[in-house]
Structures are given as structure tokens and as C-alpha cells.
Amino acid sequence: MSHRKPRTSTAAKTAVRLGMIATAGMAVAATTTSAQATTGGSHSFMSAAVDMADAHANRTHVNQFDESFKIHQFGPLVAVTANNRATAQSAGCSPQAPCRSIALSYQIVTAAGRNARLINATNLSRSSNNHCEGCQTFAGAYQFVVATPQEMTLSRSALSNLTRIHREAAALRTSHLSIPNVKKRADELAQEIKTVLDREAASAPHRSAVGPQDSFQPTVTMHRHVN
């Protein structure tokens, strides 16, 4: 059985999640697999996006898989902290019955305004085999930070594409791919996300509504850490 740590998103202009909607400190389970959005306050909040995938395999649970795919859309902000982690561990299995543990976490954060490019971003993965000869363990953390001078909401087409990519990431749970091929597929999906976000950023305004001193080219930064 896989375990997922709670995710939080506080004081956000907009928090969008696939399969989960979080706003103002309360989480509500969604009834659809498509992306949904809620709106909150308007300007200058300090916000945080914290996501994690955590898989632990052992003799009792030899095949473990956990994946997280979250989108956080924030408006103009004073500061944003984004933390994304993937942890996979295999422990105590035998060479005759090896464990398999996979954790994948994809985090997308959009922010606007003069401080959008100053996001405090952490993206880490960790995998380990403890007394587990022949076990297969993989952790992949992928983080995408979109910075725009004016508030940008992902289009319906982009959200549809991201929903599809999420389904394909989740489908790795039942795949029989080797760990190198799981890594390859996880990287391919990350590149697809980057392509979607690059397209959205390219169509976003380059000028700030506040003043020319706050204008800049919209950017999409991808952080990748696999272990």
C-alpha cells in the first residue's frame, strides 16, 4: 500500500490540483480527474506549495508505487516557497523475492509579479536499498516554475494536456518496465509538461500592469532530480 504525505497550499490566489483542490488551509477531495481551480484573495500574499511522493517496499509489500502530480497557480505574490520531494525505499527483501519501490512527484507552480522570479524552490529525490540485494528502487522529482509579469491562468487546453500526462504517469504503477525504462518514461513525461508550459508562457503578456520596471520575459524553469 502506498502512502502520501499531506500537501498544503496557503494564502494562494489560485491553487489548482489534479485530483485534489486545496484552498485557505482546507483540503477537499475532487470527484473528477480533470484539473479544477479555486480563487482566493487578490494580491501580495506569501504562499507555499509542498508536495511529496513516498514509497516504501518490504517483504510484506514487495511492490510499492506512489506518484504526485500537482498544479499550484498563484497570483501576484510577495514570496513563494515551493518544495517538491520523491522518496523511495526498499528494505529487507531477499534476492529470491526482491522488492520494487518507485516514487514520482511532479510539481507545477505559477507566480506573477515582480517577485515571481524569486521563488524559493527545493526539489529533491532520494532512493535507497536497505539490506535488499537485487531490489529495484527509483525516485524522481520534477518541478516546474512559471514566472510571468501579469497573472496567468493555464488554458483549458493546457489543463487537458496536463491531465493526460498525469494519467500516463499514474499508469506506471501497473507497468512492468525496468527501472531504467521507468526513468526514461518519467523524463519523457517531464519534457511533455515543459512543452505545454512553454507554450502557455509564450502567449502570456510580457509587460506588467503595474509599470515597465516590473516587465520581463515569461519564463519556465524545470528542476529535475532523480535517484
Side-chain angles (χ1 to χ4, degrees):
M1 180 178 194
S2 62
H3 302 280
R4 180 170 298 171
K5 302 289 182 64
R7 286 88 173 178
T8 60
S9 177
T10 59
K13 165 69 177 178
T14 306
V16 181
R17 297 186 173 190
L18 298 181
M20 182 73 74
I21 304 171
T23 179
M26 96 181 191
V28 182
T31 57
T32 175
T33 57
S34 62
Q36 299 187 36
T38 59
T39 58
S42 56
H43 295 284
S44 300
F45 288 115
M46 297 183 65
S47 297
V50 181
D51 299 300
M52 173 180 279
D54 192 9
H56 293 266
N58 53 42
R59 292 186 179 184
T60 304
H61 306 287
V62 295
N63 291 300
Q64 293 297 288
F65 178 95
D66 191 27
E67 62 87 25
S68 174
F69 194 112
K70 298 292 179 283
I71 305 171
H72 307 266
Q73 296 194 77
F74 299 118
L77 299 166
V78 169
V80 179
T81 297
N83 193 312
N84 186 49
R85 297 176 186 266
T87 303
Q89 181 181 41
S90 295
C93 296
S94 68
Q96 294 74 30
C99 297
R100 177 180 167 100
S101 181
I102 298 172
L104 297 173
S105 188
Y106 296 88
Q107 182 187 67
I108 300 168
V109 177
T110 71
R114 66 176 64 183
N115 295 311
R117 293 173 293 178
L118 303 177
I119 290 178
N120 179 17
T122 301
N123 184 65
L124 295 172
S125 68
R126 183 176 64 85
S127 66
S128 62
N129 284 348
N130 298 328
H131 307 288
C132 207
E133 184 179 351
C135 294
Q136 302 181 62
T137 311
F138 173 69
Y142 302 88
Q143 184 182 58
F144 306 83
V145 179
V146 184
T148 55
Q150 292 189 42
E151 182 178 359
M152 179 192 76
T153 301
L154 295 175
S155 68
R156 182 171 297 182
S157 174
L159 292 174
S160 176
N161 282 320
L162 293 173
T163 298
R164 173 189 57 78
I165 296 169
H166 180 204
R167 285 197 301 265
E168 294 184 20
L172 290 172
R173 176 186 299 273
T174 56
S175 77
H176 298 288
L177 294 174
S178 65
I179 290 297
N181 283 329
V182 169
K183 173 180 172 292
K184 178 183 177 182
R185 184 58 182 148
D187 284 345
E188 290 172 348
L189 293 174
Q191 287 301 322
E192 290 187 35
I193 294 171
K194 180 70 162 51
T195 298
V196 172
L197 298 178
D198 282 340
R199 189 181 304 120
E200 292 292 289
S203 62
H206 294 186
R207 292 187 174 276
S208 170
V210 178
Q213 70 277 8
D214 297 321
S215 300
F216 58 87
Q217 186 82 15
T219 60
V220 179
T221 303
M222 172 180 163
H223 303 285
R224 169 187 178 273
H225 195 270
V226 298
N227 195 306

